[in-house]
Amino acid sequence: MILGRGTSAGVVASRRTTPPGVLLMALIVQKYGGSSVADAESIKRVAKRIVDTRRAGHEVVVAVSAMGDTTDELLDLAGQVAPIPAPRELDMLLSSGERISMALLAMAIHSMGFEARSFTGSQAGMITDATHGAARIVDVTPIRLREALDEGAIVIVAGFQGFNRDTRDITTLGRGGSDTTAVALAAALKADVCEIYSDVDGIFTADPRVVPLARKLDRVGSEEMLELAANGAKVLYIRAVEYARRHGVLIHARSTFSPNEGTWVLDPSKKSPLVPEGATMEEPIVAGVATDLSQAKITVIGVPDVPGKAADIFKIVAKSGANVDMIVQNVSAAATGRTDISFTLPKTDASVALKALAGEQAEVGFQSLVHDDQIGKLSVVGAGMRTHSGVSATLFEALSLAGVNIEMISTSEIRISVVVRGVDLAEAARLVHTAYGLDGDAEATVHAGTGR
Amino acid sequence: MILGRGTSAGVVASRRTTPPGVLLMALIVQKYGGSSVADAESIKRVAKRIVDTRRAGHEVVVAVSAMGDTTDELLDLAGQVAPIPAPRELDMLLSSGERISMALLAMAIHSMGFEARSFTGSQAGMITDATHGAARIVDVTPIRLREALDEGAIVIVAGFQGFNRDTRDITTLGRGGSDTTAVALAAALKADVCEIYSDVDGIFTADPRVVPLARKLDRVGSEEMLELAANGAKVLYIRAVEYARRHGVLIHARSTFSPNEGTWVLDPSKKSPLVPEGATMEEPIVAGVATDLSQAKITVIGVPDVPGKAADIFKIVAKSGANVDMIVQNVSAAATGRTDISFTLPKTDASVALKALAGEQAEVGFQSLVHDDQIGKLSVVGAGMRTHSGVSATLFEALSLAGVNIEMISTSEIRISVVVRGVDLAEAARLVHTAYGLDGDAEATVHAGTGR
């Protein structure tokens, strides 16, 4: 009997018949980033890993990124022939990167004696809208992949790309596209797990480059993962995590370079025969501390304190295409009848937002604009916050003891974020990490960034 | 009125209303080899040339090869990950080369203010059989290309590749694939002309590297071109020429690096408004002299002079996969009742043929095998041979005056080929070239080889 089609029947049965952490035969989707397939040697290493998974009796579908810097090199070439490359052609160009890596990976597996077939985004049925460079997945019809799996083949799919039914053109998914490809395939094929491989061991309680005592998390809730990704954690792309959450895909973030378990990202209310039961016990109040130096702060000074002014301001900012994150409005100085409004946004969006606001200064009637790109954002994330009080107190106490000034505060159900001086961010993160009892016993090993 | 759809009506009309060599609006297919798009600069130069053709009022479809050494680099990568790469995956890998060059070319044209769209082999409707690495074209359905042209776009197509309807897999056409793509598109779209661009000025009366006084031909008959290509001429691939002949496609072989007319390859019985009338007057007895150093000679010594022995020998050779070219059987020495049979074949096929023959020596009953890879083949090609006598006499006389010994002779309706010592080939070619009055006034400029 073949289990692990992801049908509840299959899962229940397998949990009865096998110890936790093991499925007799699962359907496993694996994603390997560019740094995992940077050269012929890495490709062979990855091929070996895939073959081992197949040998263990599992069906394997692999989403792969372009080799190493291929995408940047292609972008560079494009820039040389055209100042502003035509989006349709840019997608045609960039999508060739994954075709190279997937074909090489399939060859490598083939030469190890296993049947492997590579498929482009369109062959894999990755159907998107027509937004070149940032296409959204509208449907996944992995008919050919299912056929190949049923014939016993290992399936390799080009990450990052899809195609549009109306224009019949090739599209690319944009940043984090390969993660999204993997998760979308896992959902469409009802895979038991989607393994996202990178050169880090999993999700940490903090960025080990900032907090040396950061610990790897055995598991993290998908909502917590969303908040961590949204607030600076780099390992997983928020888009893929969101897709996984919506479609109930179990993610296992782990390292290409080690056999160890990584971090399971899942809905805590759901169980999976693959996730060690032991891990389910632990339910920390705080899952992790995220840091982000990529934001800037804009303060609109002397805004007439009358209804609707804030709305005016953020309408203008939104129209400029800038993405506002945190917002703080000071209490009005009675004397002047004016107030200041501060907000944060990606540094890259700051200039357009400033330009847009300056253009409407007269209409809005504010006095001046202050731009500050020396800020750092620290976020504490934990599902436990819903049920535990005093979480914020711990944060504020730790920061005050360190003499770190808090400039802005925002909270969600499971997150508290504060804006501090950028130069204070690292120390603040270390102290807060300690204050919540997240420190590990040894320093975590640090790696370079992962591929797209 | 739009002329030049290649319909006789269109052509006739255009010939009436416009001077020779000009069509008001033609459909022109252009092919650019790898050396013509080796880097960003070359791509921009080619884009400029395409745009100029469009500006002249013509519809343009371009078949492009992979950039410079891309294909070799990809082959090298494949070799690193797999000793014998899976053919399906190798085609998937190699086909990415043209996707890169075509997208870059389309971008470059786009940035010059002209609408351009690139299409993969499958998008272009290049349907082949399933023979990976050497697929044969079975059908061409350029529906999307026709649509794009009708919308005023310049069409760029990935050369060298197609796809198979049954397996739905990507295929490649093998050696000379991009030439064949261009000619096949020209036939399917009823183009007025298929321009094959390379880094040489056209077809020469001989290889200028061997015969410095070789002249560029203004035009050459398609049958003559076939014989020249089959006997060592490198500029056009025989497969493309044969396809063009069968489908009545007019080829114009010219240089990417010069605006000058190149060589028109056409059926002399047909006329085209594009081909200068003047050229149609000249009907040389000999079109050119082809040289070939890529062949070897095998002599089977002491073959029993009884019926069927030659058949046995060439059945064995054919089964080994070797391609036999010339065959000579000496008169039997009455005393021994044995004879010798010599034949030529590509040097690369020699070892398999020798192995196969040696394996059956007992059955066939020959005495020994002699392998000679120091031969050169010289061919004189000219449609005039059909009607003029004495052509061969001129050849033999020139060679004997030069003291060059003829080892083998074979003839077709429009060709005489002789095998000589390899070291004598160049001088023999120069003398024969002179003997037939083919010498030009000045030395031809020599270029490197062209892309696939």
Side-chain angles (χ1 to χ4, degrees):
Chain A
M1 169 192 186
I2 292 174
L3 302 176
R5 273 282 171 290
T7 61
S8 58
V11 173
V12 171
S14 61
R15 290 186 52 215
R16 283 218 200 81
T17 54
T18 60
V22 182
L23 268 183
L24 286 184
M25 178 166 180
L27 172 49
I28 297 178
V29 173
Q30 300 183 331
K31 179 262 178 173
Y32 293 95
S35 60
S36 301
V37 291
D39 53 29
E41 277 320 303
S42 337
I43 287 172
K44 282 192 266 186
R45 190 191 307 114
V46 165
K48 169 92 170 48
R49 181 139 200 165
I50 293 167
V51 163
D52 290 344
T53 312
R54 185 79 186 87
R55 277 217 183 83
H58 304 305
E59 294 184 308
V60 190
V61 174
V62 176
V64 64
S65 300
M67 294 171 69
D69 306 328
T70 306
T71 306
D72 294 336
E73 287 161 18
L74 291 173
L75 277 170
D76 178 54
L77 265 174
Q80 288 177 45
V81 299
I84 304 135
R88 176 190 186 274
E89 301 304 328
L90 192 57
D91 275 359
M92 177 68 83
L93 178 73
L94 295 182
S95 65
S96 65
E98 284 75 22
R99 292 162 194 260
I100 292 171
S101 53
M102 77 178 186
L104 290 169
L105 187 52
M107 284 176 200
I109 294 169
H110 215 275
S111 71
M112 293 176 181
F114 284 75
E115 171 68 8
R117 272 174 241 165
S118 69
F119 296 93
T120 65
S122 47
Q123 290 176 333
M126 192 66 55
I127 297 153
T128 73
D129 63 19
T131 318
H132 286 293
R136 311 293 302 178
I137 297 170
V138 295
D139 193 9
V140 183
T141 56
I143 301 145
R144 293 188 65 179
L145 309 192
R146 189 62 262 174
E147 287 172 3
L149 288 170
D150 293 342
E151 288 162 33
I154 292 167
V155 168
I156 315 292
V157 179
F160 179 69
Q161 61 182 258
F163 95 115
N164 178 267
R165 269 187 183 138
D166 308 326
T167 64
R168 290 166 297 173
D169 287 335
I170 287 158
T171 56
T172 62
L173 306 181
R175 202 156 172 288
S178 293
D179 284 12
T180 311
T181 299
V183 171
L185 289 175
L189 291 163
K190 297 190 168 39
D192 297 281
V193 60
C194 179
E195 299 182 331
I196 307 281
Y197 285 87
S198 71
D199 44 17
V200 296
D201 298 333
I203 313 299
F204 283 72
T205 52
D207 182 341
R209 284 163 294 194
V210 178
V211 182
L213 290 177
R215 277 187 301 106
K216 192 203 79 192
L217 291 161
D218 294 330
R219 51 182 290 155
V220 61
S222 33
E223 280 188 65
E224 291 172 316
M225 190 63 236
L226 267 182
E227 289 279 10
L228 288 170
N231 291 281
K234 293 269 177 302
V235 181
L236 293 178
Y237 286 94
I238 183 163
R239 185 171 163 196
V241 177
E242 175 55 29
Y243 197 107
R245 199 179 64 80
R246 206 174 328 112
H247 295 82
V249 172
L250 173 67
I251 290 180
H252 188 191
R254 58 197 304 190
S255 167
T256 313
F257 307 98
S258 118
N260 304 339
E261 289 245 323
T263 303
W264 297 92
V265 183
L266 73 174
D267 177 342
S269 69
K270 295 219 182 81
K271 294 215 179 300
S272 162
L274 286 168
V275 182
E277 285 297 335
T280 60
M281 297 294 102
E282 109 192 14
E283 174 68 298
I285 299 171
V286 168
V289 177
T291 50
D292 186 357
L293 279 169
S294 71
Q295 295 208 339
K297 180 173 75 172
I298 290 175
T299 304
V300 189
I301 293 177
V303 182
D305 195 4
V306 294
K309 283 300 174 187
D312 296 343
I313 287 169
F314 291 106
K315 250 182 258 152
I316 294 163
V317 176
K319 251 183 65 200
S320 79
N323 251 317
V324 171
D325 178 18
M326 295 168 68
I327 299 175
V328 169
Q329 173 165 353
N330 302 352
V331 288
S332 161
T336 62
R338 290 179 177 275
T339 180
D340 303 339
I341 297 179
S342 297
F343 61 91
T344 65
L345 73 180
K347 278 177 177 158
T348 49
D349 291 356
S351 57
V352 288
L354 286 166
K355 197 156 163 295
L357 285 169
E360 313 244 8
Q361 176 162 10
E363 290 72 359
V364 182
F366 62 84
Q367 292 167 324
S368 62
L369 295 168
V370 176
H371 174 220
D372 177 359
D373 61 2
Q374 298 302 310
I375 64 168
K377 181 177 161 192
L378 183 150
S379 304
V380 176
V381 174
M385 292 187 190
R386 285 209 187 82
T387 49
H388 293 71
S389 57
V391 176
S392 54
T394 310
L395 171 64
F396 300 146
E397 190 184 5
L399 293 176
S400 66
L401 281 172
V404 172
N405 183 42
I406 299 173
E407 303 182 9
M408 296 172 81
I409 301 174
S410 82
T411 62
S412 83
E413 242 197 335
I414 64 170
R415 173 183 55 85
I416 312 169
S417 298
V418 296
V419 167
V420 300
R421 284 294 89 197
V423 290
D424 296 339
L425 187 61
E427 193 203 352
R430 285 188 289 273
L431 290 163
V432 171
H433 195 265
T434 307
Y436 286 108
L438 295 172
D439 290 353
D441 315 331
E443 294 204 356
T445 45
V446 181
H447 305 267
T450 129
R452 78 171 174 214
Chain B
M1 172 192 183
I2 293 174
L3 301 177
R5 271 283 170 292
T7 62
S8 59
V11 173
V12 171
S14 63
R15 290 186 53 216
R16 283 219 200 79
T17 54
T18 60
V22 180
L23 267 184
L24 287 183
M25 180 168 179
L27 172 48
I28 298 179
V29 173
Q30 300 183 332
K31 179 263 179 174
Y32 293 95
S35 60
S36 302
V37 293
D39 53 31
E41 277 320 301
S42 339
I43 287 172
K44 284 193 265 187
R45 191 190 309 113
V46 166
K48 168 90 170 48
R49 181 139 199 165
I50 293 167
V51 164
D52 289 344
T53 312
R54 185 79 186 86
R55 276 218 184 84
H58 304 304
E59 293 185 308
V60 189
V61 174
V62 176
V64 64
S65 300
M67 294 171 69
D69 307 329
T70 307
T71 306
D72 295 337
E73 288 161 18
L74 291 173
L75 276 169
D76 178 54
L77 264 174
Q80 288 178 46
V81 299
I84 304 134
R88 176 190 186 274
E89 301 304 327
L90 192 57
D91 276 358
M92 177 69 83
L93 178 72
L94 295 183
S95 65
S96 65
E98 284 75 22
R99 292 162 195 260
I100 292 172
S101 54
M102 77 178 186
L104 289 170
L105 187 52
M107 283 176 202
I109 294 169
H110 214 276
S111 71
M112 292 176 182
F114 284 76
E115 171 67 7
R117 272 174 242 164
S118 69
F119 296 93
T120 65
S122 48
Q123 290 176 332
M126 192 66 55
I127 297 154
T128 73
D129 63 18
T131 317
H132 287 293
R136 311 293 301 179
I137 296 169
V138 296
D139 193 10
V140 184
T141 56
I143 300 146
R144 293 189 65 179
L145 308 192
R146 190 60 260 174
E147 288 171 1
L149 288 170
D150 293 342
E151 288 160 32
I154 293 168
V155 168
I156 314 294
V157 178
F160 180 68
Q161 61 183 258
F163 94 115
N164 178 266
R165 269 189 184 135
D166 310 326
T167 64
R168 290 166 298 173
D169 287 336
I170 287 159
T171 56
T172 62
L173 307 181
R175 199 153 174 290
S178 293
D179 284 11
T180 311
T181 299
V183 172
L185 288 175
L189 291 164
K190 298 188 167 38
D192 297 280
V193 59
C194 179
E195 299 182 331
I196 307 281
Y197 285 88
S198 70
D199 45 17
V200 297
D201 297 332
I203 313 299
F204 282 72
T205 52
D207 182 341
R209 285 163 295 194
V210 178
V211 182
L213 289 178
R215 277 187 301 104
K216 192 203 79 190
L217 291 162
D218 294 330
R219 51 183 288 155
V220 61
S222 33
E223 280 189 62
E224 292 171 315
M225 190 63 237
L226 267 182
E227 289 281 9
L228 289 169
N231 291 283
K234 292 271 177 301
V235 181
L236 293 178
Y237 287 95
I238 183 162
R239 184 171 163 196
V241 177
E242 174 54 31
Y243 197 107
R245 201 180 61 82
R246 207 174 326 112
H247 295 82
V249 173
L250 172 67
I251 290 180
H252 187 191
R254 58 197 303 190
S255 167
T256 312
F257 307 98
S258 119
N260 303 339
E261 289 245 324
T263 302
W264 297 92
V265 183
L266 73 174
D267 177 342
S269 70
K270 293 218 182 82
K271 294 216 179 297
S272 162
L274 287 168
V275 182
E277 284 297 335
T280 60
M281 297 293 102
E282 103 192 19
E283 172 69 297
I285 298 170
V286 169
V289 177
T291 49
D292 186 358
L293 280 168
S294 70
Q295 294 209 343
K297 180 173 73 172
I298 291 176
T299 304
V300 189
I301 293 179
V303 181
D305 194 4
V306 295
K309 283 301 175 185
D312 296 344
I313 287 170
F314 291 107
K315 252 183 254 148
I316 294 165
V317 175
K319 251 182 64 202
S320 78
N323 249 319
V324 171
D325 177 19
M326 295 169 68
I327 300 175
V328 169
Q329 173 165 353
N330 301 354
V331 289
S332 162
T336 63
R338 290 179 177 275
T339 181
D340 303 338
I341 297 180
S342 297
F343 60 92
T344 65
L345 72 180
K347 277 176 178 162
T348 48
D349 291 356
S351 58
V352 289
L354 286 165
K355 198 156 162 296
L357 284 168
E360 313 248 8
Q361 176 162 10
E363 291 72 358
V364 182
F366 62 84
Q367 291 167 324
S368 62
L369 294 168
V370 175
H371 174 220
D372 176 359
D373 61 3
Q374 297 302 310
I375 65 168
K377 182 177 161 193
L378 182 150
S379 303
V380 177
V381 174
M385 293 186 189
R386 286 210 186 83
T387 49
H388 292 70
S389 56
V391 177
S392 54
T394 309
L395 171 65
F396 301 145
E397 189 183 6
L399 292 175
S400 66
L401 282 171
V404 173
N405 182 42
I406 300 172
E407 303 182 9
M408 297 171 80
I409 300 174
S410 83
T411 62
S412 82
E413 241 197 336
I414 63 170
R415 172 185 54 86
I416 311 168
S417 298
V418 296
V419 167
V420 300
R421 285 293 90 199
V423 291
D424 297 338
L425 186 62
E427 193 204 353
R430 284 189 290 273
L431 291 163
V432 170
H433 194 265
T434 307
Y436 285 107
L438 295 172
D439 291 353
D441 315 331
E443 294 204 355
T445 46
V446 181
H447 306 267
T450 127
R452 78 172 173 213

